[in-house]
Amino acid sequence: MSDSVRLDKWLWAARFFKTRALAKKAIEGGKVQYDGARVKTSKSVELGALIRVPQGWDIYEVEVLSLSDQRRGAPEARKLYAETEDSVQRRHKEAEARRLTNEVMQHPLKRPDKKQRRDIQRFQRQQGE
């Protein structure tokens, strides 16, 4: 544990990103927010700060509980932060919405044959006109 840790190192140590380069890219792209604002990669992380981090479809909002610049196992990495209750509820609600959307969508049982492909292409050309 150290008293001052760069944001990219902390995100890497907390296992939000596989490499520091990916963490840096996300921070510079404005995807990661520190206390509600865009910051630079070299921002020093402080205890109690709120960080919003995208992970696939989800956005995690976490509070910093501990500082570390060393990457360790996942159980130890989870001790560096606590996810806010709003974040947990939002993620579960969005996951449920995605699940329901996927259930409603009807996937074909097989690939279209030649005649069906031609019909699809004809339909798409008519829609484009």
Side-chain angles (χ1 to χ4, degrees):
M1 305 285 171
S2 61
D3 54 349
S4 177
V5 180
R6 291 169 49 112
L7 181 58
D8 62 337
K9 273 192 177 184
W10 187 86
L11 290 170
W12 170 75
R15 293 183 161 266
F16 284 106
F17 295 97
K18 201 168 190 172
T19 64
R20 277 186 57 200
L22 290 174
K24 179 182 177 199
K25 190 174 181 182
I27 295 167
E28 289 173 348
K31 307 259 189 284
V32 176
Q33 292 183 351
Y34 184 89
D35 284 335
R38 276 182 80 161
V39 292
K40 292 186 177 181
T41 308
S42 60
K43 171 76 174 162
S44 291
V45 178
E46 300 168 352
L47 296 178
L50 283 176
I51 301 176
R52 289 176 54 100
V53 184
Q55 291 286 290
W57 295 101
D58 299 320
I59 296 178
Y60 287 81
E61 189 171 291
V62 297
E63 180 182 354
V64 178
L65 300 179
S66 180
L67 301 178
S68 176
D69 60 354
Q70 293 182 340
R71 189 173 172 100
R72 300 198 188 272
E76 287 185 49
R78 276 189 228 105
K79 294 177 185 175
L80 297 177
Y81 61 89
E83 188 174 3
T84 62
E85 192 60 38
D86 291 342
S87 175
V88 172
Q89 290 175 355
R90 187 179 340 103
R91 283 190 313 103
H92 288 304
K93 188 172 74 174
E94 289 172 357
E96 182 68 15
R98 285 193 304 270
R99 187 184 65 77
L100 292 174
T101 302
N102 287 338
E103 283 182 4
V104 172
M105 292 180 66
Q106 213 174 16
H107 298 287
L109 299 174
K110 62 177 186 161
R111 293 176 61 182
D113 59 20
K114 192 170 186 175
K115 182 184 182 320
Q116 291 168 333
R117 277 197 309 273
R118 286 180 179 160
D119 291 341
I120 291 169
Q121 290 168 350
R122 189 176 307 117
F123 176 75
Q124 288 174 337
R125 276 195 304 271
Q126 289 173 353
Q127 294 299 314
E129 293 174 354

